[in-house]
Amino acid sequence: MTRGRRGRASGLALTLLTAVVATAGALLPHRVHAGEIPTFAVEPSWPKQLPNNWILGQVGGITVDAQGHIWVIHRPRSLTDDEKGAALNPPRSKCCIPAPPVLEFDTDGNLLRAWGGPGPGYEWVGREHGIEVDERGFVWIGGNADNDNAILKFTLDGQFVAQIGAIAPSKGSNDTTQLGKPAETAIDKDANEIYVADGYGNRRVIVFDATTLAYKRHWGAYGHVPDDARQPPYDPKAPVSQQFGNPVHCVKIADDGLVYVCDRINDRIQVFKKDGTFVTEWFFEKATLGNGAVWDIAIWPDPKQTYLLSADGENNEIRIIRRADGNVVGAFGHNGRNAGQFHWVHAMAVDKQGNVYTAEVDTGKRIQKFRLTSDALR
């Protein structure tokens, strides 16, 4: 009799415990399971060898267009004489010749077209930096040499259309006609606006109409008016800077209207509304000195845009960040020159299938593709 009562009591307790756990589980925030976090494998044979005996220099920018094609802007003038030996007079060796600055690839690594350099009606940039392709069929590029204070707009086949600013001295972070060595652009297709991470010279985000190129608005860190006064070197123990450092290296726009900005030297991402209202900031590897820990951002292409991927060219890794709270849930990459490793990973992009494309500067001088290997697009 006692044994039976104990058995019934134990069974009732177990039932109650199960119900409590189930109820508590329903109330807890959604936990990210391993299969939902993006993981990747490098495709070491991507891209295919370039035609025409061409070779890439430092790759200043990379993006994916609406068709899933990968666009690259590289720096032919960064190639050393031994790398471009066939282009010397007389030729030093049988390889190679600098490729044109702008190249378009398909997902299999086939080169589709290439163009760029000086032409009629415009002055080409002194050091190529940043590329964006909008859904209307225009290519936007910038540069970060001393007088590269403009964004140039081209058709897909390289015909010059217009420009913002000029290849001329900068006028500072509160001038509305001239840029300051802009690093990157992002297109808000619904508003038909172009956002500029401006940049290596200025300390702001600035927005223009993407058709008329008319000035709209600009802001600095925390939504403040930007200030060009000299800043002390970054110190992780000091109070956080109230201004962006140089460079303001990236800008990205999510579907929900949040704007993400790379404050590279200050090891942080700042988040804004489209009108420049400050929302929050996140620090990553805050002890990182040198060139900083936040170089570029790509927004994950699942319906909720659950993650941000962030390239870190000083620590040579890519972090996977939960967009809801800024927590790091994964990372890949390592300093080195083997396939899947990085040397100064400078820019990145992701296509709709979750493939990640990376670009390296300094002596890295290459692009890589990483294939999605987890179920992270649900």
Side-chain angles (χ1 to χ4, degrees):
M1 190 73 167
T2 305
R3 218 178 270 173
R5 286 175 179 168
R6 282 181 182 170
R8 286 193 295 273
S10 298
L12 178 60
L14 181 59
T15 301
L16 290 171
L17 179 60
T18 302
V20 169
V21 170
T23 303
L27 297 175
L28 289 172
H30 171 66
R31 291 187 178 183
V32 177
H33 300 288
E36 298 173 352
I37 298 172
T39 58
F40 305 93
V42 67
E43 294 195 359
S45 60
W46 193 96
K48 297 177 182 177
Q49 184 169 308
L50 295 175
N52 307 318
N53 208 16
W54 286 344
I55 188 173
L56 292 178
Q58 297 175 359
V59 185
I62 192 166
T63 192
V64 176
D65 69 14
Q67 286 71 48
H69 294 170
I70 301 90
W71 290 75
V72 165
I73 187 166
H74 84 109
R75 301 167 181 168
R77 288 163 288 191
S78 70
L79 290 163
T80 60
D81 282 354
D82 67 304
E83 291 171 324
K84 60 180 181 182
L88 302 179
N89 187 17
R92 170 174 166 167
S93 59
K94 67 179 184 180
C95 187
C96 293
I97 297 170
V102 176
L103 303 100
E104 178 190 4
F105 297 88
D106 65 19
T107 56
D108 294 326
N110 298 301
L111 180 67
L112 302 178
R113 69 178 118 195
W115 50 266
Y122 67 93
E123 187 175 353
W124 190 252
V125 296
R127 186 190 300 116
E128 294 81 359
H129 196 297
I131 185 168
E132 185 68 22
V133 182
D134 66 33
E135 293 192 355
R136 292 177 170 86
F138 295 108
V139 182
W140 305 78
I141 71 154
N144 69 334
D146 284 346
N147 282 334
D148 283 347
N149 300 316
I151 293 291
L152 307 180
K153 182 180 182 181
F154 295 89
T155 63
L156 295 176
D157 59 1
Q159 299 299 308
F160 176 68
V161 177
Q163 69 185 55
I164 301 170
I167 308 297
S170 173
K171 298 179 181 179
S173 289
N174 290 296
D175 181 79
T176 61
T177 63
Q178 182 72 316
L179 300 175
K181 297 191 279 188
E184 189 178 85
T185 58
I187 301 294
D188 180 351
K189 63 180 181 180
D190 295 330
N192 192 36
E193 292 179 337
I194 180 169
Y195 287 61
V196 183
D198 188 37
Y200 278 79
N202 291 337
R203 296 177 181 152
R204 65 180 177 181
V205 173
I206 186 167
V207 184
F208 299 90
D209 185 282
T211 301
T212 67
L213 309 186
Y215 165 79
K216 292 293 197 70
R217 58 194 177 277
H218 73 275
W219 66 85
Y222 299 103
H224 299 329
V225 174
D227 184 348
D228 290 325
R230 186 178 179 86
Q231 296 184 25
Y234 172 71
D235 180 355
K237 298 178 182 178
V240 298
S241 176
Q242 297 301 297
Q243 294 288 334
F244 289 135
N246 294 121
V248 185
H249 205 249
C250 86
V251 59
K252 293 292 190 299
I253 307 168
D255 290 344
D256 59 10
L258 292 177
V259 179
Y260 297 86
V261 179
C262 296
D263 190 4
R264 195 174 92 178
I265 295 297
N266 289 318
D267 297 338
R268 65 185 175 184
I269 293 172
Q270 288 205 332
V271 188
F272 300 89
K273 297 179 181 179
K274 289 182 181 180
D275 63 1
T277 301
F278 175 74
V279 176
T280 191
E281 67 180 356
W282 304 316
F283 289 86
F284 302 96
E285 300 295 341
K286 196 175 179 181
T288 300
L289 303 177
N291 289 299
V294 180
W295 292 44
D296 202 5
I297 291 169
I299 299 176
W300 191 243
D302 70 324
K304 295 181 179 179
Q305 297 187 318
T306 305
Y307 303 107
L308 302 175
L309 277 59
S310 180
D312 179 345
E314 184 68 38
N315 297 298
N316 286 293
E317 66 179 10
I318 292 176
R319 284 181 289 273
I320 302 162
I321 302 163
R322 192 164 54 211
R323 197 165 70 91
D325 55 18
N327 286 332
V328 176
V329 297
F332 64 97
H334 189 275
N335 200 343
R337 289 180 172 81
N338 293 343
Q341 298 178 338
F342 302 116
H343 178 73
W344 282 33
V345 57
H346 182 256
M348 64 180 304
V350 60
D351 66 19
K352 293 178 181 178
Q353 285 70 47
N355 300 306
V356 171
Y357 303 89
T358 61
E360 296 169 54
V361 292
D362 194 53
T363 59
K365 297 179 180 176
R366 65 175 173 177
I367 54 179
Q368 297 191 76
K369 176 182 179 179
F370 296 81
R371 176 177 46 85
L372 178 67
T373 56
S374 62
D375 185 18
L377 284 179
R378 290 184 294 176

